[in-house]
Amino acid sequence: MGLTRVVLGVLALVTLCVPLGSLVVDAVMEKIDGGGLINLGNRERTWTPYMSLSHLLSEIESITSYFSFRTFDPEGALFYGDTDNGEDWFVLFLRDGVPEMQIGKGDVLVSVAGGHKLNDGLWHKLELHSEGKFVVLKVDDHRELAMGLHSHEPDTSKEGYIRLALGGILVSEKKLLLPLNPLLDGCVKGGRWLNLSTLWDSTPRKTAMSCFPNIKAGSFFAGTGLAIFNTSDLPGVDPKEERIIITVNTSSTTLNGTILSLRSLQSHSTVLSVAKDTNSGMMIFKVNTETTPINEKFDEDLISFNVIIHKTSVAFETKNVSSESHLRSGDYSSILAAWNEGMLLAFGGVPEDGLDSGSDYMEGCLDTIFIQGQKIDLDQASFKDASVSSHSCPV
Ligand SMILES: *[C@@H]1O[C@H](CO)[C@@H](O)[C@H](O)[C@H]1NC(C)=O
Ligand SMILES: *[C@@H]1O[C@H](CO)[C@@H](O)[C@H](O)[C@H]1NC(C)=O
Ligand SMILES: *[C@@H]1O[C@H](CO)[C@@H](O)[C@H](O)[C@H]1NC(C)=O
Ligand SMILES: *[C@@H]1O[C@H](CO)[C@@H](O)[C@H](O)[C@H]1NC(C)=O
Ligand SMILES: *[C@@H]1O[C@H](CO)[C@@H](O)[C@H](O)[C@H]1NC(C)=O
């Protein structure tokens, strides 16, 4: 019957709690209603859940948790529950948009994944309940996944505390069967967690970010932070074409600030940047310190531009215009080699030395970013400010 406790733990999934026994008193903790509209994203990239609670197991009466959930993000931790201080644990998360559940108990690790992709930006009703030795996940009232685990170990259930967490896990991420990018840009509402009415503990965000009422896919920059990639982690130079193509599409007509910038790690100088000024409606292509205003009205619904990086020159082009500039000779024998070795490519601003801040931040939505034809996910950035929503833009 060892599973029962795990299942109960799972069901309690609504909140992340530190068991009272080992509760670290944190004066900055906030109390949150688990039934409200909850934004799990816009936090530092971390395994720490957004919110948690712990409750006496003996007082748990319901074996069901349910909630509505909305995201465009393909990957992240949703709901976690454990007993025995993490000895028995359960987690529900998304990978490639598909729900996946894992149970860890002693040396045994069980994982099951399947069903429809849930990252379509629509609200879905999720329900978790236990049926004997099984944990069952229902999506929009259909049974989607069931996972069973039976252990011969004696069960000391109904003792101690159950902990619940949202948006992260309370055991080491090394316990997971496969690595996971934990931060989920998603929202939860109408949650009923093991029928508990307890308030959850939450670490307040630096900046309060609520859920956008309506969303579309894209990356939203609030104008207070950026995302930075090490180019050695990005698609590399095509040996035949000998160039890098970065394509950005945006439908934000009010977009203002620096959209992207490329910076050398050695000289700390900005090699190129693309900005938009909303007052003039002009795009500004800056190479080294030379500024080239792009003489084109960008007031169409969708702006799409390419930045093309050649060995010693860079170009900006849209359907109608193109502007090419040579890099200062001597700076780079080949900027493409520097790209492969590692430069800083930032979206939403110009990075500063600390690598976690910048200037000339952008406000607006980038619908899609492609590098060498590959779609870029801001969750893979080396640094992403908490104000950047990697997978959702307000509409
Ligand atoms: C849930 O809790 C409410 C009171 O908080 C109670 O009336 C109801 O019977 C409980 N439901 C279950 C299934 O335990
Ligand atoms: C983005 O722009 C590229 C190049 O113009 C285009 O091929 C692609 O379809 C666009 N993607 C979206 C989602 O609009
Ligand atoms: C656009 O950005 C520039 C500098 O980045 C700033 O001076 C200007 O006020 C911004 N305009 C709007 C409309 O936000
Ligand atoms: C590109 O040029 C065409 C034909 O001159 C024009 O109709 C269109 O509006 C231009 N597009 C942009 C983005 O300026
Ligand atoms: C970028 O990646 C390269 C190669 O992996 C590494 O040497 C360099 O330290 C990285 N730079 C930063 C700022 O992370």
Side-chain angles (χ1 to χ4, degrees):
M1 288 303 289
L3 179 63
T4 321
R5 281 157 63 203
V6 175
V7 171
L8 281 173
V10 171
L11 296 173
L13 98 110
V14 169
T15 5
L16 169 63
C17 288
V18 180
L20 296 181
S22 64
L23 186 67
V24 181
V25 179
D26 189 340
V28 297
M29 280 290 183
E30 238 169 36
K31 292 287 182 190
I32 291 194
D33 174 7
L37 181 60
I38 299 158
N39 176 12
L40 297 178
N42 297 117
R43 295 180 294 129
E44 311 306 323
R45 185 165 153 178
T46 165
W47 287 95
T48 309
Y50 174 56
M51 54 200 263
S52 64
L53 66 78
S54 98
H55 204 275
L56 266 179
L57 255 183
S58 57
E59 289 175 358
I60 303 287
E61 281 165 6
S62 168
I63 53 160
T64 304
S65 293
Y66 55 87
F67 55 96
S68 290
F69 167 63
R70 180 192 71 180
T71 195
F72 276 114
D73 193 343
E75 188 163 318
L78 190 46
F79 175 68
Y80 169 93
D82 73 22
T83 56
D84 234 358
N85 239 336
E87 284 302 308
D88 296 353
W89 54 272
F90 163 92
V91 65
L92 169 69
F93 52 88
L94 290 191
R95 191 194 299 279
D96 197 19
V98 169
E100 192 167 324
M101 300 195 285
Q102 273 185 30
I103 289 180
K105 185 175 170 55
D107 287 343
V108 181
L109 199 51
V110 188
S111 176
V112 57
H116 297 95
K117 289 198 182 207
L118 299 181
N119 60 331
D120 55 5
L122 302 173
W123 286 102
H124 293 286
K125 186 184 165 202
L126 269 60
E127 181 190 305
L128 281 163
H129 68 264
S130 69
E131 277 178 19
K133 294 176 167 54
F134 289 84
V135 182
V136 175
L137 171 70
K138 280 168 113 182
V139 177
D140 299 324
D141 296 324
H142 294 285
R143 281 173 80 97
E144 201 87 345
L145 282 181
M147 170 164 64
L149 177 67
H150 176 63
S151 164
H152 292 291
E153 279 175 40
D155 192 7
T156 48
S157 65
K158 291 279 168 191
E159 281 168 24
Y161 289 88
I162 182 169
R163 302 190 292 186
L164 300 181
L166 290 188
I169 61 177
L170 294 176
V171 286
S172 160
E173 70 263 28
K174 294 188 184 75
K175 292 200 174 185
L176 295 177
L177 210 51
L178 288 171
L180 179 79
N181 198 339
L183 193 57
L184 188 69
D185 178 12
C187 288
V188 161
K189 70 176 180 186
R192 196 74 201 148
W193 314 97
L194 296 183
N195 206 27
L196 295 173
S197 48
T198 326
L199 292 176
W200 298 63
D201 292 310
S202 164
T203 318
R205 288 175 235 263
K206 275 192 216 138
T207 328
M209 298 279 285
S210 48
C211 297
F212 302 128
N214 295 296
I215 57 170
K216 65 172 184 175
S219 298
F220 183 69
F221 295 79
T224 52
L226 41 52
I228 306 175
F229 287 88
N230 187 336
T231 56
S232 69
D233 299 332
L234 292 168
V237 180
D238 174 348
K240 259 198 244 116
E241 305 280 352
E242 296 216 306
R243 62 180 186 193
I244 296 280
I245 302 186
I246 306 169
T247 304
V248 175
N249 296 342
T250 169
S251 51
S252 243
T253 46
T254 57
L255 189 139
N256 192 39
T258 295
I259 299 173
L260 68 83
S261 62
L262 181 66
R263 181 183 148 137
S264 151
L265 272 172
Q266 282 81 35
S267 67
H268 302 284
S269 59
T270 301
V271 179
L272 70 86
S273 66
V274 176
K276 184 165 181 269
D277 175 36
T278 210
N279 293 326
S280 64
M282 287 236 250
M283 303 281 277
I284 298 141
F285 184 47
K286 213 166 163 184
V287 180
N288 304 322
T289 48
E290 269 167 58
T291 298
T292 312
I294 306 296
N295 259 323
E296 185 183 19
K297 265 281 181 209
F298 286 90
D299 47 11
E300 293 194 333
D301 288 347
L302 181 74
I303 300 172
S304 179
F305 68 82
N306 290 330
V307 170
I308 304 170
I309 304 168
H310 298 282
K311 209 170 156 191
T312 56
S313 67
V314 290
F316 172 91
E317 66 174 38
T318 65
K319 213 166 47 181
N320 289 8
V321 291
S322 137
S323 161
E324 182 162 3
S325 303
H326 282 273
L327 294 166
R328 265 195 307 254
S329 61
D331 278 6
Y332 294 97
S333 53
S334 164
I335 196 171
L336 296 177
W339 174 284
N340 283 342
E341 281 159 21
M343 300 180 76
L344 298 180
L345 179 65
F347 293 95
V350 180
E352 269 161 18
D353 285 337
L355 299 186
D356 59 358
S357 63
S359 57
D360 197 25
Y361 292 134
M362 172 192 123
E363 185 177 348
C365 174
L366 300 184
D367 295 49
T368 48
I369 302 166
F370 295 90
I371 296 179
Q372 301 293 60
Q374 238 169 280
K375 197 167 173 180
I376 300 306
D377 182 344
L378 292 191
D379 283 345
Q380 306 298 329
S382 324
F383 169 78
K384 183 178 75 65
D385 188 78
S387 66
V388 179
S389 304
S390 35
H391 293 279
S392 58
C393 291
V395 287

